[in-house]
Amino acid sequence: MFHTASSLSAWQRCPRFYQYRYLDEWTSAEPIRPLLVGTVFHSGSEAFWKGADLDGMRAAAKAAMEEHSDWWRDADLERAKLDAYFRGYYVHRRKYREAYEVVDVEREWTSGPMRGKMDLVLRSKEDGRYYVVDHKTSGAKEVENPASPFWTKLPFDTQINTYTVAARYLYKLDYFPTFVYDVVRKTSSKPAMKKRISRRKTETEFQYQMRKAGNTETLREYSERIGKEYEGDAARYMWRAIPMTSDTLLDRVSELKGMMTSIEEFPIEFEQMPRNQNGCITKYGLCDFFSICSGREGFEGSDKFVKKQAHSELTEEVKS
């Protein structure tokens, strides 16, 4: 058995969720929209750090959409937003690409029972220091406040701690590298009205709605407007180092080792791992497996779930 930051986080959230996803290898048949957007943006940013220009980023994103092509076919608004994120990223991150040497992109690693994949590893051209960078997209308002829980909880984050320690040994450093969150602030905006209008006394509701539609930005106009907004607003792109001490890192890694032992030594006489009712509600709504845990349905014969290999983000060579 091996572990990843995602699987350990799943265990912490709910052991039964961990069992369904990582032992039984079930997952929801319907993708979560914010995760799809993040995955596609990730593909574009990966291309950027490999040296691509804006068109190259767009091409990488288009290729990533093919995995869920049915969903993206009708997601014109999300595609317009993604293009704005890419336009701004290319403008605001070029100076970072000039200041750092790219050591690795999508570097897979293994350390004992732990596995993972680092989005990006950089080395400063100024002082030679290493940085482990993780790309994120977030629509949360609190991401703009460095004192918010979004940021203050990160020194204890499973991924950040394990990746930082792994990078030290992977690159044979005599210090722990700096972990950076590279965050893009997503927008919830929609095409805007070109001018304010109100309903006339002489028109029906249908006529009013048709007049409003004719007064609203086209998708092309909207895309161009928010693209310029992202190109001109560096504050929508955050590059923040996560402050951690060596003691914090080592203490957290020790905790995680204990967690891995608990998972591996879970009594086999129990057919089901325990449920954690506090994990039933996620930031995306009800847990994917709530209907299973509550006894409303089973996996077999349901069209809501499909089998998907656990740790599918890693290659077979790393998983073996």
Side-chain angles (χ1 to χ4, degrees), residues 45-318:
S45 60
E46 176 187 341
F48 170 84
W49 287 103
K50 288 181 176 178
D53 60 10
L54 181 57
D55 286 339
M57 296 172 70
R58 288 166 168 160
K62 183 177 180 181
M65 291 179 188
E66 290 302 314
E67 184 176 354
H68 297 283
S69 56
D70 289 345
W71 188 89
W72 284 105
R73 189 173 296 118
D74 299 319
D76 292 340
L77 192 62
E78 291 299 337
R79 287 203 301 268
K81 293 177 182 180
L82 268 165
D83 194 67
Y85 306 155
F86 289 137
R87 286 173 60 173
Y89 196 89
Y90 186 72
V91 168
H92 301 298
R93 287 291 178 264
R94 279 183 294 179
K95 61 182 179 182
Y96 290 87
R97 200 163 64 178
E98 295 169 359
Y100 296 94
E101 173 192 351
V102 177
V103 178
D104 274 314
V105 178
E106 294 295 300
R107 174 60 186 267
E108 295 185 352
W109 58 272
T110 177
S111 178
M114 283 295 297
R115 307 286 188 274
K117 182 189 288 187
M118 299 174 187
D119 286 354
L120 177 66
V121 180
L122 302 175
R123 181 166 51 227
S124 170
K125 293 180 180 179
E126 181 179 0
D127 60 13
R129 185 172 182 84
Y130 276 68
Y131 294 80
V132 180
V133 182
D134 201 61
H135 308 304
K136 300 290 184 184
T137 58
S138 177
K141 181 69 174 176
E142 64 175 352
V143 75
E144 299 173 359
N145 178 8
S148 71
F150 179 94
W151 295 102
T152 55
K153 68 181 181 180
L154 291 181
F156 305 102
D157 182 82
T158 300
Q159 180 189 32
I160 292 175
N161 282 267
T162 54
Y163 281 38
T164 301
V165 173
R168 176 177 181 175
Y169 296 102
L170 181 65
Y171 298 104
K172 298 178 173 59
L173 306 176
D174 59 2
Y175 61 90
F176 288 111
T178 300
F179 196 100
V180 172
Y181 253 26
D182 177 23
V183 184
V184 178
R185 177 77 159 88
K186 294 191 294 186
T187 181
S188 58
S189 68
K190 297 179 180 179
M193 297 185 69
K194 300 174 184 178
K195 61 180 180 180
R196 294 186 62 184
I197 62 174
S198 56
R199 182 175 175 180
R200 298 166 181 164
K201 294 181 179 179
T202 57
E203 66 184 348
T204 65
E205 178 64 20
F206 176 76
Q207 290 171 327
Y208 174 53
Q209 294 299 330
M210 289 296 293
R211 193 158 57 89
K212 282 177 64 177
N215 186 50
T216 302
E217 287 177 310
T218 65
L219 188 64
R220 181 183 295 273
E221 290 170 333
Y222 169 74
S223 180
E224 186 60 26
R225 174 173 64 82
I226 65 166
K228 289 180 178 179
E229 288 178 2
Y230 271 82
E231 288 177 338
D233 188 1
R236 300 192 188 206
Y237 298 86
M238 284 142 277
W239 183 274
R240 290 181 182 162
I242 310 304
M244 292 180 290
T245 65
S246 298
D247 288 343
T248 297
L249 281 167
L250 296 176
D251 285 348
R252 182 57 177 154
V253 169
S254 178
E255 292 173 355
L256 294 173
K257 287 180 178 178
M259 190 187 306
M260 286 184 268
T261 299
S262 296
I263 296 172
E264 293 165 3
E265 296 181 355
F266 187 82
I268 60 174
E269 62 266 23
F270 294 101
E271 293 184 2
Q272 298 277 18
M273 289 185 169
R275 291 173 287 190
N276 173 21
Q277 70 274 18
N278 294 323
C280 293
I281 304 296
T282 75
K283 61 182 178 180
Y284 303 118
L286 275 176
C287 170
D288 291 342
F289 301 123
F290 184 80
S291 61
I292 302 296
C293 284
S294 60
R296 297 179 183 177
E297 62 180 326
F299 286 117
E300 300 299 335
S302 173
D303 59 359
K304 294 182 181 179
F305 304 97
V306 294
K307 284 279 190 176
K308 183 177 181 181
Q309 186 178 45
H311 312 292
S312 57
E313 72 277 11
L314 302 178
T315 65
E316 291 300 325
E317 289 77 9
V318 171

Side-chain angles (χ1 to χ4, degrees), residues 22-33:
Y22 290 97
L23 299 183
D24 300 339
E25 297 189 319
W26 288 104
T27 190
S28 174
E30 287 294 321
I32 298 174
R33 188 184 74 175

